[in-house]
Amino acid sequence: MSSLFLNREDRIKLIGFDDTWLTIIGIGIVTGISYMLFSPTVIQEFGEQAFLACAATSLGFTLFYWFSCKSVVIYFRKKLARPEQTSRRLLLTAASVLGIVVGSELIQSLINSGIGPKRELTASGIDIFIYDIVFTLVLCFMVIALYESIYFFVKYRQN
């Protein structure tokens, strides 16, 4: 079951803490970072009127990736809960997030190529695609690292 549909007590039990404020503040920070990383080229190409569209797009992608990462973390915490399964859990979490990011970036590229101006496949287009994947992965792994670090310290304190 997705982390979006868990009741508060189950979410706290699986995550290790109440993450409401972390989610609110974290989404704001990551939206700002993603806006700074991904929007300058769009604004340069389409002008200042693209500001609101870029901000809304950054928020939308941040929400999607935040809750996707959180759902993956919760899923593998339920499936691989024992301490000796930690390295396997982290590896599967990372692999799953990699798949989500690459898959969603491919879908986004296909959608953009269908609705945007037609562009030939160039080295700069591939570079931008790889840039998007790398920085999205960095942001996603920051979210996962945050959840895992807090979870570790909560469990450490409990022991």
Side-chain angles (χ1 to χ4, degrees), residues 120-130:
E120 295 180 23
L121 186 61
T122 62
S124 66
I126 293 172
D127 289 345
I128 291 170
F129 180 72
I130 292 171

Side-chain angles (χ1 to χ4, degrees), residues 11-61:
R11 193 178 76 237
I12 291 171
K13 181 179 170 189
L14 286 168
I15 295 175
F17 64 100
D18 184 1
D19 71 329
T20 304
W21 284 108
L22 173 67
T23 301
I24 293 168
I25 294 169
I27 286 173
I29 291 170
V30 173
T31 297
I33 291 170
S34 67
Y35 177 82
M36 289 186 295
L37 288 173
F38 300 111
S39 296
T41 57
V42 174
I43 291 174
Q44 183 180 18
E45 188 173 338
F46 296 104
E48 292 297 319
Q49 64 273 18
F51 169 78
L52 286 177
C54 290
T57 302
S58 293
L59 177 61
F61 277 106

